[in-house]
Every structure is written in structure tokens, then in C-alpha cells.
Amino acid sequence: MIRSKYGYEPPEWVQADARLDKWCKDKRRAKQHGAFSLEKKRRKQHAKDKKMPLS
């Protein structure tokens, strides 16, 4: 048993927790920098909608 920030756990669980923590941290960082943002796509679509007449 190894002492981790989540309590005493087997070594396999400690490794799994570390991988999950890293994944969550990377995903949060990417989200903060706009990697998952659709803002650019929305702007392009709105620009196309304004140029096309609705007749």
C-alpha cells in the first residue's frame, strides 16, 4: 500500500490516479486555450449566412 493524496492505495491504483489526473489537467488546459471552442466555426457560419440572401 502506498500513501497518495487520495489515501492508502495499491501501486496500480496510484498509477491509474496519476494518469487520470494528468489527463484531466491536460484537458482543462486545452479548454482554457480554446482547443475545444467552436467560436471560429460559428463566426464563419454567421458570415456566410449574412452574405446569402433569404429569397
Side-chain angles (χ1 to χ4, degrees):
M1 300 294 274
I2 297 174
R3 174 79 178 147
S4 71
K5 64 181 180 181
Y6 301 111
Y8 287 99
E9 300 177 325
E12 297 86 16
W13 290 18
V14 173
Q15 291 174 352
D17 288 339
R19 278 187 258 127
L20 285 171
D21 289 341
K22 183 180 178 189
W23 180 80
C24 290
K25 184 178 176 183
D26 290 343
K27 185 162 180 129
R28 182 173 176 257
R29 182 181 303 133
K31 187 176 182 181
Q32 286 177 343
H33 292 290
F36 300 110
S37 176
L38 299 175
E39 188 62 31
K40 291 180 183 178
K41 289 185 179 179
R42 288 183 186 154
R43 286 184 190 164
K44 289 180 183 177
Q45 287 176 355
H46 289 305
K48 289 179 183 177
D49 291 340
K50 289 179 183 177
K51 291 179 183 176
M52 296 176 64
L54 299 173
S55 48

